[in-house]
């Protein structure tokens, strides 16, 4: 089967919480392991998942700097969307994952990249939030716009908005 | 290419936050500009996006009136889903959009309407929340039920739940 | 038309709030009434919808017990995602539904089951949260993994992530 004949799975990752990020990457790696051609398109808070875990984003303008200080991101710093309880819930979720030997989000992202899952940041969101490409982890694709995403989506067997 | 041969994009807009509304309308206008036939189906909190910006909804019964007082809506009054910080985050987001000359939500909705995107409120949600058609902005479609949405969706190339 | 020729609708239910659960089950029952073959795949907080309304989940380990104490679930105990206002919003939403004779979530779930909608809990989430099959209501399918879901989804006319 040639590359172009592979079934496509496209996931828009809008959310930046740990639980939704886990769901997105579990589905992406599962899809890739089933032989699907997987693209993930990161927009708004979803960009936080791709941000580097070290330091914080350098961006121009006081307001963008403030915004990225509050909204720091990095796969290891995300919180769960419910019952975070000042970090206790997130800490428990991570412990529970370790206990059943479930890969962490960071490990899932690395797995996804090794399996050829494409990680694509949204141009408009990056412009809006003042994030430059050097703010992201290595190995991701170039920025792309909404038209690129819709073009992938209309060729996909499955498209999800998470 | 005739109208009926156009590829369809269908978006359920369940959420009523500014950031998710922006994502929905960016995708809708991009789809329309690519020649897709776009329908947006508004349900629950998503109805807030279509409410008039002036005044508040008149509805029968004390409870519905109270409900629509708290849950006012109007595209200019929506808040972002994270880091709202008593309005500061929403204000910053709007300023950042202006700085990069990104159209506001209000402008995106007008663009969408001019491009022929169909804006359809969900019958059941309107009944539940006591919203009558005169509570909405002009130029939207008649109310329709879930069966109508599913019928559109099963003919669509791409369906998203936002 | 034979079973295999029926159009499929697949819904991932990630969220555990009353409003999103209602949207998911309204769409599922509508799809079934239109003759579609409907599967719902419950993961993370969505599992709360399937938990028994009586008592609480028994799970091994102090942390899982604590987690399931906070995160109790049961279709009758879910809260709405916005304007819950310490339960007042949820109570109002339920009253408004009763007033227009809209079926409650519990009734919608029963209807869905009677119409043949398949309710499938996600294996990984159950393992993570320490939920055993006897913690769920009766009449649901066996646990299944993400590969099962993606396999359903790629055969579906419509797939939604709620």
């Amino acid at each position: 089967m040639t590359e172009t004949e592979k079934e496509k799975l496209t996931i828009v990752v809008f959310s930046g919480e740990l639980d939704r990020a886990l769901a997105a990457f579990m589905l992406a790696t599962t899809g890739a392991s089933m032989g699907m051609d997987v693209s993930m398109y990161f927009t708004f808070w979803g960009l936080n998942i791709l941000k580097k875990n070290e330091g914080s984003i350098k961006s121009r303008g006081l307001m963008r700097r403030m915004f990225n200080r509050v909204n720091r991101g990095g796969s290891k710093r995300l919180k769960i969307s419910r019952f975070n309880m000042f970090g206790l819930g997130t800490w428990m979720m991570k412990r529970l994952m370790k206990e059943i030997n479930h890969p962490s989000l960071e490990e899932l992202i690395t797995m996804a990249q090794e399996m050829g899952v494409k990680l694509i940041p949204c141009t408009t969101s990056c412009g809006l939030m003042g994030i430059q490409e050097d703010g992201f982890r290595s190995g991701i694709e170039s920025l792309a716009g909404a038209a690129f995403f819709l073009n992938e989506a209309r060729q996909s067997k499955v498209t999800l908005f998470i």
Side-chain angles (χ1 to χ4, degrees), chain A:
Chain A
M1 193 159 67
T2 68
E3 180 71 24
T4 51
E5 283 166 17
K6 270 187 174 184
E7 287 186 348
K8 269 165 159 333
L9 164 63
T10 302
I11 305 176
V12 192
V13 187
F14 174 93
S15 308
E17 288 105 358
L18 178 61
D19 43 357
R20 291 189 172 251
L22 284 168
F25 276 94
M26 283 177 199
L27 290 171
T29 49
T30 305
S33 73
M34 289 164 74
M36 295 179 93
D37 179 17
V38 187
S39 297
M40 299 175 85
Y41 183 75
F42 295 81
T43 179
F44 278 82
W45 317 110
L47 291 170
N48 284 347
I49 304 170
L50 298 185
K51 284 184 188 168
K52 282 181 185 155
N53 281 302
E54 305 78 33
S56 50
I57 295 280
K58 282 176 212 71
S59 45
R60 260 168 293 175
L62 177 65
M63 210 151 51
R64 282 201 177 72
R65 264 206 303 281
M66 271 174 59
F67 197 82
N68 284 309
R69 190 68 54 88
V70 181
N71 183 36
R72 274 212 311 182
S75 68
K76 293 177 183 170
R77 296 192 287 217
L78 306 178
K79 290 171 177 50
I80 57 176
S81 64
R82 299 182 69 182
F83 307 119
N84 180 47
M85 305 180 285
F86 304 98
L88 178 64
T90 299
W91 176 84
M92 276 171 66
M93 174 77 82
K94 288 183 177 177
R95 284 267 324 237
L96 294 175
M97 285 169 65
K98 214 169 236 173
E99 239 183 84
I100 61 164
N101 292 314
H102 194 282
S104 69
L105 177 58
E106 182 57 28
E107 288 162 340
L108 281 170
I109 298 175
T110 308
M111 278 169 59
Q113 290 188 300
E114 284 168 2
M115 293 167 103
V117 173
K118 283 183 222 95
L119 310 181
I120 306 155
C122 160
T123 315
T124 309
S125 304
C126 287
L128 180 62
M129 297 186 173
I131 311 173
Q132 269 121 38
E133 278 179 274
D134 62 5
F136 293 125
R137 59 191 305 128
S138 60
I140 63 166
E141 310 293 313
S142 312
L143 308 190
F148 175 87
F149 155 69
L150 281 177
N151 199 39
E152 293 278 297
R154 65 186 192 75
Q155 299 169 50
S156 296
K157 275 282 181 182
V158 184
T159 302
L160 303 169
F161 186 101
I162 298 188

